[in-house]
Amino acid sequence: MRTAFLSLGLLATMSAAASAESITSWPDTYLARVEALAVMEGLNARLLASRSATATLEGWCSEHGMATDPRLTATLLRDVDKPASEETRRRLQAVPDTPLKYRRVRLACGDHVLSEADNWYVPERLNPEMNRLLETTDTPFGKAVQALGTTRQTIGADRLWQPLPPGWDQAAPPHPACAPLAIPDRLFSHRAVLFTAERVPFSEVVETYASAILDFRRAARPPDPVCVAGAPSRP
């Protein structure tokens, strides 16, 4: 009986630890890497199909219970500048003397910084209230200009982290590291041009999505047998 109680206590402790760990930690196992890739690709597809990255991230935040208030908050990074490239000016149909402004914003859901956006825009193609919001407040760019009937055209999408090695779909599963998965700060990025309802380009944005998109509670998974103490090692 005593052994049974001890076993139940140990199982409860392990279960609680696994539940707590599942909030922010992904183990370095083949299953976790496949799941991380699936999560990234799912959000990536939603963002590419959306008119508003801000609205999509708010939906992600709400669905995954990442904050009591799932509304996205923006933090304007002031006193930073990055000149627009010639390619950006060409895509925005902005001649050399057309004024462009630059804006960098971090978007967060609660304590989770989900993305950072670099934005070049043509202020003369916006109304005065939009320019005021962009220059003096932390309002997300998409919300500030939504009255323009904005559409977007993606011109680049880059995966900055690959959870699985090249050729993984034809290779044997890699040996688990039996440690937390090392996830880099940046996972993938998009570059897009924004247009008014009249199809006039007015902004180019580069959105870089952070590892915090994976910071949500997951149900505990069975431990990899190789990582369980006392289990025989794989050959």
Side-chain angles (χ1 to χ4, degrees), residues 113-125:
V113 177
L114 303 182
S115 71
E116 185 168 294
D118 295 291
N119 200 296
W120 296 267
Y121 64 97
V122 186
E124 65 185 30
R125 296 174 191 169

Side-chain angles (χ1 to χ4, degrees), residues 33-50:
R33 285 177 175 271
V34 171
E35 290 183 322
L37 178 60
V39 170
M40 288 169 51
E41 289 302 306
L43 177 58
N44 186 46
R46 287 174 61 174
L47 288 163
L48 289 173
S50 172

Side-chain angles (χ1 to χ4, degrees), residues 87-162:
E87 291 80 7
T88 294
R89 283 191 167 273
R90 175 178 54 79
R91 287 188 284 264
L92 294 179
Q93 301 174 14
V95 296
D97 60 347
T98 299
L100 291 186
K101 291 197 173 181
Y102 171 74
R103 192 175 192 254
R104 179 180 294 173
V105 169
R106 287 190 181 128
L107 298 179
C109 166
D111 296 330
H112 308 284
V113 177
L114 303 182
S115 71
E116 185 168 294
D118 295 291
N119 200 296
W120 296 267
Y121 64 97
V122 186
E124 65 185 30
R125 296 174 191 169
L126 310 181
N127 65 40
E129 177 60 13
M130 293 175 184
N131 281 309
R132 185 193 69 79
L133 288 172
L134 293 174
E135 293 175 18
T136 64
T137 75
D138 290 343
T139 304
F141 193 89
K143 288 188 175 181
V145 302
Q146 61 185 353
L148 294 176
T150 306
T151 58
R152 58 186 280 153
Q153 177 181 333
T154 301
I155 57 176
D158 296 305
R159 185 185 295 158
L160 306 178
W161 178 53
Q162 170 56 275

Side-chain angles (χ1 to χ4, degrees), residues 200-213:
V200 177
F202 67 91
S203 173
E204 181 166 306
V205 60
V206 176
E207 298 153 339
T208 303
Y209 297 93
S211 59
I213 67 172

